[in-house]
Amino acid sequence: MSRSRTIFVITLGGILTAGLLILSFSMAVKSISSNKSEYVKTSWINVSSQNDDWKITIDKIKTEKVETNKNKYSYTIINNNPVLKERDDYYYRTVIYVEIKNKTDEDLNTSAPDGLFTLIDGNGNHRTETGSTMNAYLDGVPFNGQKIGAQSVTKAKLVVISNKNDFESKNSRIIIPNYYINGSTNDLISGGDFKFKIRDIKTKSQN
């Protein structure tokens, strides 16, 4: 092989190698850029509200921008599938992490509550598991037929979905219905309307 041809082959090999490196770098940058486009915001709340029978603590709130077509999350919707059809191509999924303590010495039956577990956000939207619009729907409602043990703590993830990043946590409320004492059809433990005075919020955002 002549010297000029050898140089040409080496040069061509170098160009191909450089091209592959540039392509790999471009794909890596694109991947990083794609990941950064996913919006996630976490706010640490750690605020409690209580009465004689219950104590509820909001631990943190996490909001995430979700692509609808990827079906990343499932929802337990009761007879109101149109709620999910309201979603745009991207929507916001807000999870409110709560702890609910039954302060009584009674086991409670939640299969037939007197009322609905309700989240009222700071904008005044009343959200329940039977809500027929996104502004009225709440997923992740705890208990649903399960027994609540005496002096027990239940961790729950209350889920709100919206086409706007507009969930307002300040001045939010949680309403717990009345539950029957386990084994009784007459004796009730009262629930309550719990208001949360949320002021200082430590927030971390990821874009």
Side-chain angles (χ1 to χ4, degrees), residues 135-152:
N135 282 340
Y137 176 65
L138 179 67
D139 199 71
V141 172
F143 312 135
N144 286 332
Q146 302 174 2
K147 184 181 77 171
I148 305 175
Q151 297 289 332
S152 66

Side-chain angles (χ1 to χ4, degrees), residues 47-115:
V47 172
S48 298
S49 180
Q50 60 186 315
N51 60 17
D52 290 341
D53 299 321
W54 301 93
K55 179 180 179 181
I56 304 180
T57 301
I58 297 180
D59 180 27
K60 65 180 179 179
I61 298 174
K62 181 179 179 180
T63 298
E64 177 182 1
K65 188 176 182 181
V66 182
E67 186 174 351
T68 302
N69 289 338
K70 288 188 176 180
N71 295 316
K72 184 176 180 179
Y73 298 103
S74 59
Y75 299 94
T76 53
I77 296 211
I78 301 175
N79 297 326
N80 36 303
N81 288 327
V83 171
L84 296 184
K85 293 180 181 178
E86 290 184 38
R87 295 176 299 175
D88 293 337
D89 292 340
Y90 288 86
Y91 69 97
Y92 291 90
R93 181 179 189 269
T94 298
V95 182
I96 302 95
Y97 294 78
V98 300
E99 288 188 356
I100 303 170
K101 181 177 182 179
N102 170 16
K103 295 166 63 176
T104 74
D105 295 323
E106 303 288 350
D107 293 337
L108 304 178
N109 178 4
T110 69
S111 60
D114 178 23

